[in-house]
Amino acid sequence: MVHKGGARRDNCKPSRRFGEAAQFFRSWTEKPLQMGSITPSSPFLSKAMANCVDPASEGPVVEIGPGTGPITQALVERGVAEDRLVLVEYSPQFCDLLSQRFPKATVVQGDAYALAKTLEGRLADKAAAVVCGLPLLTKPERQRLDLLAQAFTLMQPDAAFIQFTYSLASPIPTKNAFFTWQASPRIWRNVPPARVWTYRQLLRN
């Protein structure tokens, strides 16, 4: 009896989450600078990221560095249609997991820091948003700025590039910026506490 209906799905969730967290931790031990954290984003941080995306917008939603998919799941729960999602992930193992969890999404295995090349021919329209889960502060400033510039070429003019960081400062340098930015309040119910930053192209007349 207990295996019928919603009870079965609910009972499976902790097991699935534990398995994904274990896989995430194994990947972190192998490549700590690439992962940035030993655990996936919490539901509170994932929801804060997803809330920056308007589900009524048109065009694909690109997520780079989705890992095991906690932010991806939050985007779906936010109302973003799964078939709009384009997930760019470097790890083949995580790509396999994402393909299983989100079969309607487009999963692209490749280097997010070469975003324009990785997504060449993959986007039918300009992206409505780019959601980034990469640990940007592990990369040089020039590389972070280049990633944002590449993303802007793939996005609608008013679309947001959404990034989280554990640092108090912007993960993308704002000196002589070619973009505008906004930061969320500190999200304390995440380990470690985090903040969500949104960046938009600075449109010139």
Side-chain angles (χ1 to χ4, degrees), residues 46 54 185:
S46 298
D54 180 1

Side-chain angles (χ1 to χ4, degrees), residues 182-195:
Q182 187 172 2
S184 76
R186 199 80 165 156
I187 301 168
W188 295 105
R189 298 180 76 178
N190 190 76
V191 181
R195 177 172 286 165

Side-chain angles (χ1 to χ4, degrees), residues 13-168:
K13 285 181 181 180
S15 177
R16 187 186 74 184
R17 289 174 182 168
F18 178 82
E20 292 171 4
Q23 185 173 355
F24 197 96
F25 179 75
R26 285 195 299 270
S27 297
W28 179 85
T29 60
E30 294 171 0
K31 298 179 180 180
L33 291 181
Q34 182 177 310
M35 301 297 295
S37 173
I38 63 172
T39 58
S41 300
S42 74
F44 306 100
L45 176 56
S46 298
K47 184 176 180 180
M49 296 279 283
N51 283 347
C52 295
V53 178
D54 180 1
S57 61
E58 297 182 355
V61 174
V62 176
E63 184 183 356
I64 53 182
T68 59
I71 297 173
T72 316
Q73 182 62 41
L75 287 167
V76 172
E77 293 174 359
R78 168 76 168 153
V80 178
E82 190 176 306
D83 59 7
R84 292 179 59 196
L85 296 173
V86 179
L87 311 178
V88 180
E89 174 56 52
Y90 187 79
S91 164
Q93 292 79 16
F94 285 164
C95 284
D96 290 342
L97 177 62
L98 292 165
S99 295
Q100 294 171 22
R101 288 194 64 190
F102 308 101
K104 295 181 182 179
T106 299
V107 180
V108 182
Q109 197 276 324
D111 183 4
Y113 289 98
L115 191 63
K117 182 177 180 181
T118 297
L119 289 180
E120 187 174 4
R122 296 282 190 163
L123 300 181
D125 299 293
K126 292 284 189 178
V130 172
V131 182
C132 183
L134 300 175
L136 293 188
L137 291 176
T138 64
K139 297 296 183 180
E141 288 188 359
R142 184 173 180 180
Q143 194 168 10
R144 289 178 254 158
L145 289 166
D146 180 66
L147 171 61
L148 184 61
Q150 289 184 70
F152 281 164
T153 68
L154 303 173
M155 297 161 64
Q156 298 169 17
D158 60 343
F161 182 98
I162 303 156
Q163 172 72 43
F164 76 85
T165 183
Y166 305 126
S167 171
L168 292 175

